[in-house]
Amino acid sequence: MPAKSVSGPAASGGKYKAGTSQKRMQSRSTKAGLQFPVGRVHRYLKRETLSTTRVGAKAAVYTAAVLEYLVAEVLELAGNAARDLKSKRISPRHLQLAIRGDDELDILVKATIAGGGVIPHIHKQLLEKGKKTAQP
């Protein structure tokens, strides 16, 4: 008995025809060329706003791009600080030195960084070498 020929969707292996190329799913982060998750940022924006407020799709893309830029800036400066201190890992101390060393980031980040320590600073008057004393 000859083998039965299979027809229908099983013959082509799915709902797409054999000759056509199916489109792959592409995330909004990939479409925007970002590493940060646009969908998650959009979900958080919708959750944190008022229930009557609408959040556009471009708002999530823009916010994710801004967050990605800020993180890249901080990590670059912290990596430079870690390299200066001859360390291969970025610690909270390196983050503290990077943020407090940059004027704009210092204004933006007002939080205390746990384990960051203090910024080295010696007052000018304490550095004076020769003291002026009154001679009689």
Side-chain angles (χ1 to χ4, degrees):
M1 192 178 212
K4 274 182 154 181
S5 66
V6 181
S7 63
S12 63
K15 64 180 181 178
Y16 295 103
K17 293 185 180 177
T20 61
S21 63
Q22 88 184 53
K23 281 191 172 181
R24 293 188 52 112
M25 294 292 289
Q26 196 173 23
S27 68
R28 290 193 279 172
S29 300
T30 307
K31 287 179 185 175
L34 298 174
Q35 298 297 316
F36 267 54
V38 174
R40 187 178 299 174
V41 170
H42 193 202
R43 185 175 74 231
Y44 289 158
L45 283 173
K46 287 192 296 185
R47 190 173 70 185
E48 295 301 321
T49 57
L50 299 173
S51 60
T52 58
T53 306
R54 293 169 50 161
V55 178
K58 290 181 184 177
V61 175
Y62 190 85
T63 306
V66 168
L67 288 173
E68 184 174 320
Y69 169 74
L70 287 174
V71 168
E73 189 73 23
V74 169
L75 282 178
E76 181 184 354
L77 293 172
N80 293 342
R83 190 179 63 235
D84 292 343
L85 296 174
K86 296 178 179 145
S87 174
K88 292 188 177 183
R89 293 183 184 167
I90 295 175
S91 68
R93 174 68 177 163
H94 303 135
L95 289 171
Q96 172 86 325
L97 291 172
I99 290 171
R100 301 301 170 225
D102 188 66
D103 296 334
E104 294 171 344
L105 284 175
D106 190 25
I107 294 170
L108 183 66
V109 180
K110 295 289 186 188
T112 302
I113 298 174
V118 296
I119 300 299
H121 176 71
I122 301 173
H123 200 275
K124 293 177 192 175
Q125 292 179 346
L126 296 174
L127 291 175
E128 289 182 2
K129 301 222 179 202
K131 288 191 174 183
K132 298 176 182 175
T133 56
Q135 304 254 345

